């Protein structure tokens, strides 16, 4: 009997947007592929073996979904409007020379306009 869990877990972990809807769409796709492969089997599997394989797939789906629900949803990174305005203001500010450093290496700190104003977690 095939082990569907590693395949499904890897597919779910690769989702760009990992939320309930995206996972359900993935599971439906897996079911469609599974049925198509069952129909192409030569020789055909017995009805009992087909049912066993279906149960194995559904069990793997339930396991992956249970694990996924305990993890936070992952969405593609987006920029808030205030981030865009901050970035636009950086483009408008004139570039000022960095203050001279007193260290022996002659390395200057980055210009203050390149240091983030706030850090969000």
């Amino acid at each position: 009997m095939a082990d569907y869990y590693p395949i499904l877990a890897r597919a779910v972990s690769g989702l760009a947007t990992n939320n309930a809807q995206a996972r359900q769409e993935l599971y439906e796709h897996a079911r469609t592929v599974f049925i198509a492969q069952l129909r192409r089997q030569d020789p055909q599997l017995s009805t009992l073996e087909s049912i066993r394989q279906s149960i194995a797939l559904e069990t793997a789906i339930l396991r992956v979904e249970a694990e996924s629900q305990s993890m936070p949803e992952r969405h593609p990174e987006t920029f808030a409007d205030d981030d865009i305005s901050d970035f636009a203001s950086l483009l408008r500010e004139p570039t000022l020379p960095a203050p001279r450093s007193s260290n022996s290496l002659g390395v200057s700190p980055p210009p203050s306009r390149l240091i983030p104003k706030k850090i969000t977690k």
Side-chain angles (χ1 to χ4, degrees):
M1 186 174 338
D3 185 9
Y4 300 104
Y5 172 78
I7 298 165
L8 289 170
R10 186 174 33 242
V12 166
S13 70
L15 289 172
T17 301
N18 188 347
N19 60 23
Q21 180 182 353
R23 290 191 305 272
Q24 290 306 317
E25 290 171 4
L26 176 75
Y27 303 147
E28 282 306 312
H29 178 72
R31 289 177 182 112
T32 302
V33 170
F34 171 78
I35 291 168
Q37 287 181 344
L38 280 181
R39 290 182 180 155
R40 284 193 301 254
Q41 288 278 327
D42 189 27
Q44 290 287 313
L45 294 176
S46 69
T47 302
L48 182 59
E49 185 57 29
S50 295
I51 292 171
R52 284 185 183 142
Q53 291 292 329
S54 295
I55 291 171
L57 175 65
E58 294 302 322
T59 302
I61 288 172
L62 291 173
R63 181 177 168 197
V64 170
E65 184 60 16
E67 291 172 359
S68 296
Q69 288 178 359
S70 67
M71 304 294 286
E73 288 189 359
R74 186 179 70 234
H75 300 280
E77 291 185 25
T78 57
F79 296 100
D81 290 339
D82 61 333
D83 292 338
I84 294 170
S85 64
D86 286 346
F87 181 73
S89 68
L90 288 176
L91 296 177
R92 287 192 299 271
E93 290 179 14
T95 305
L96 301 174
R100 284 283 197 188
S101 174
S102 61
N103 64 26
S104 61
L105 298 174
V107 176
S108 299
S112 61
R113 66 185 182 82
L114 296 179
I115 299 173
K117 293 178 185 174
K118 61 181 178 181
I119 298 175
T120 57
K121 292 183 181 182

